Amino acid sequence: MKPALGALLLLLLTLGSGPCAAAGAPPAWSGALTGRLAHIKATGRIQLGYRQSAIPFSYVGAGGKPVGYSLDLCAAIAAAMAEELGGAPLAIDYVPVTAQNRIEHVESGAVDLECGASTNTAERRRRVAFSPLIFVTGTRLAVPRASAVNRVADLRGRPVAVVRATTNEAAMRELDRLQRLQIRFVPADDYREALSLLEAGKAEALAADDVLLRGVLVEMHKRADFRLVGGLFSFEPYGIMFARRDPQLEAVVERALRDLAASRELAAIYNRWFLQPLPSGGRIDLPMSTQLRRSFELIGMPTD
């Protein structure tokens, strides 16, 4: 790993969580419960926000059931939370969120944990808190297999699909401004819709996180029809979002992920979604990156 990237991962781990707690340590709070934990204990329920098509992190699978890597992590956090709140299992309510309203749902308390594919940014940290890092990716382009487009510069004056209110849209608009490409942006509400725009010829490229492009192409059985081109042109570190200024909730989230790392269950959950067949039968076949492995080691995963 490059030193600068290693330092950035360390910074994100610090910003994404509160004071470090050893795996298996007792609850960090004393006295009465406050914030979201008090509400969760009183109701016996936890609200998990999920996305419709952020594959394989958070999406609607067979039978309309929300599934994915981030949802498995959130379920593990909910189990750890139940244990710390007295042992009775928590009922889980799945609440649909979009790229456009996910932050508002966390701020309002409509969801306790946003279990999607959300990038930890300084702007967002002014409104919500983030768990320790759960994935690292970056913006890339998907184009039709026969397209002549091989890099961002080839998109001068052409239509490009983006999902509204994502960091990918922001990255593409900034590149467009800096390079004066005069790109015509075609916004979509989610990744399935964005890919449909590309398939219908209404856009000549789709800009989104590399891993989400892989996921939607596999799930929609379109891998043979499109290709990913160019390098990554943004840095997208994912975390689970939850309420800001809630130290008790923050402590539970961090402890749960540290316990998952220490037991290697975090790696097992990763493998389930990125190396093994998805529930639909497709495979993403994306081994854990050096950057992500190092970030998991920083929160307690044993080194090989």
Side-chain angles (χ1 to χ4, degrees), residues 106-122:
V106 174
E107 288 181 310
S108 70
V111 300
D112 298 304
L113 302 174
E114 191 273 331
C115 316
S118 295
T119 300
N120 182 341
T121 69

Side-chain angles (χ1 to χ4, degrees), residues 221-234:
H221 307 288
K222 299 293 183 182
R223 207 177 218 171
D225 300 330
F226 299 92
R227 59 192 177 91
L228 304 186
V229 299
L232 303 181
F233 53 90
S234 71

Side-chain angles (χ1 to χ4, degrees), residues 67-107:
V67 296
Y69 170 71
S70 298
L71 283 166
D72 278 2
L73 295 180
C74 283
I77 293 170
M81 192 179 297
E83 187 174 337
E84 294 196 9
L85 293 176
L90 295 171
I92 295 178
D93 296 324
Y94 291 99
V95 180
V97 300
T98 66
Q100 296 78 41
N101 68 20
R102 53 188 160 172
I103 294 176
E104 287 79 5
H105 274 54
V106 174
E107 288 181 310

